[in-house]
């Protein structure tokens, strides 16, 4: 069990925290409003021969429960991105540090999405920096990756602004928008882990 779950990260007007069942209505609303904006970058599940419904995405409740289980076990940390200001609290995206491995590798990968209305305002880069700091300082990870489709220029800009360095091409790396897609791998290393 992870001593780091649940986690709440705050900086400036951003709060990163796990999704709760009561966030369902707001999360579904933001996702619906951004369907066209996000669809070409969305992870999809491939159809696996012999597995019934292998490409069916989980319900919101199933997703939240899976993220809780993964967080408690220290394997993945999925957090909603909230902007907090004098007008209130707005759900503006989600960020996940998944594939957390310890031992000789001590690494993970980060993925994220942002509400179109909040894009190009530095919030995604700030969230990446916050979660990267958590991974390096609290989990003592050595290496974190962000894998991005080559044509996703805004996401590449986020990785670069967060100090991630281009490492190379990963052909047919992830199933995105219904097909296996090439990705560019961006990496940041923790100089404190020797």
């Amino acid at each position: 069990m992870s001593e780091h779950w649940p986690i709440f990260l705050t900086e400036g007007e951003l709060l990163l925290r796990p999704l709760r069942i009561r966030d369902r209505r707001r999360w579904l609303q933001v996702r619906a409003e951004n369907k066209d904006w996000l669809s070409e970058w969305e992870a999809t599940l491939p159809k696996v021969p012999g597995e019934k419904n292998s490409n069916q995405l989980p319900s919101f409740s199933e997703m939240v429960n899976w993220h809780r289980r993964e967080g408690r076990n220290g394997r993945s940390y999925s957090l909603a991105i909230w902007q907090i200001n004098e007008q209130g609290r707005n759900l503006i995206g989600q960020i996940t540090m998944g594939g957390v491995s310890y031992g000789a590798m001590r690494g993970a990968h980060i993925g994220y999405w942002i509400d179109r209305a909040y894009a190009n305002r530095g919030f995604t880069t700030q969230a990446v920096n916050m979660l990267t700091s958590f991974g390096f300082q609290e989990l003592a990870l050595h290496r974190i990756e962000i894998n991005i489709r080559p044509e996703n220029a805004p996401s590449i800009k986020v990785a670069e602004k967060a100090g991630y360095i281009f490492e190379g091409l990963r052909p047919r790396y992830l199933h995105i928008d219904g097909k296996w897609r090439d990705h560019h791998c961006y990496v940041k290393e923790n100089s404190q882990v020797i």
Side-chain angles (χ1 to χ4, degrees):
M1 295 296 253
S2 175
E3 64 195 65
H4 302 288
W5 189 261
I7 64 169
F8 299 85
L9 305 175
T10 59
E11 181 180 286
E13 58 184 309
L14 282 193
L15 164 66
L16 308 183
R17 70 153 171 82
L19 282 167
R20 300 170 182 158
I21 297 297
R22 67 176 171 244
D23 297 325
R24 180 181 183 275
R25 188 172 53 85
R26 183 65 188 128
W27 188 88
L28 291 173
Q29 178 184 353
V30 172
R31 296 290 300 181
E33 290 169 356
N34 287 274
K35 185 177 181 189
D36 293 339
W37 162 255
L38 296 172
S39 64
E40 73 178 299
W41 316 115
E42 286 288 293
T44 48
L45 299 174
K47 188 156 183 68
V48 178
E51 287 187 23
K52 188 177 177 182
N53 300 324
S54 64
N55 62 339
Q56 184 176 336
L57 292 173
S59 69
F60 179 81
S61 297
E62 290 169 334
M63 177 188 69
V64 168
N65 288 329
W66 187 84
H67 287 311
R68 282 181 186 159
R69 193 168 42 256
E70 291 297 292
R72 282 193 302 267
N73 288 310
R75 293 186 295 247
S76 180
Y77 299 90
S78 187
L79 307 168
I81 305 171
W82 297 86
Q83 180 204 30
I84 301 172
N85 57 33
E86 51 281 347
Q87 284 81 39
R89 183 180 295 196
N90 299 308
L91 175 63
I92 65 170
Q94 190 171 347
I95 186 165
T96 300
M97 183 169 59
V100 178
S101 59
Y102 301 97
M105 179 177 266
R106 294 206 78 83
H109 54 79
I110 288 179
Y112 44 81
W113 63 266
I114 191 81
D115 182 327
R116 184 178 202 159
Y118 294 88
N120 299 313
R121 293 170 54 185
F123 294 126
T124 311
T125 303
Q126 184 180 358
V128 167
N129 284 331
M130 291 165 69
L131 196 53
T132 299
S133 291
F134 169 78
F136 286 167
Q137 294 170 10
E138 301 299 321
L139 303 180
L141 298 179
H142 162 66
R143 168 190 173 93
I144 300 175
E145 298 181 0
I146 300 175
N147 293 288
I148 306 165
R149 287 180 53 191
E151 59 275 24
N152 190 344
S155 196
I156 289 171
K157 186 176 173 184
V158 166
E160 290 174 341
K161 282 173 45 182
Y164 281 72
I165 306 298
F166 176 71
E167 186 173 72
L169 174 70
R170 292 194 165 161
R172 299 164 306 285
Y173 182 65
L174 290 172
H175 202 266
I176 303 289
D177 193 25
K179 294 182 181 175
W180 292 105
R181 310 282 183 167
D182 293 351
H183 280 68
H184 281 177
C185 179
Y186 287 80
V187 174
K188 192 167 190 178
E189 292 182 0
N190 183 357
S191 62
Q192 301 302 307
V193 176
I194 301 171

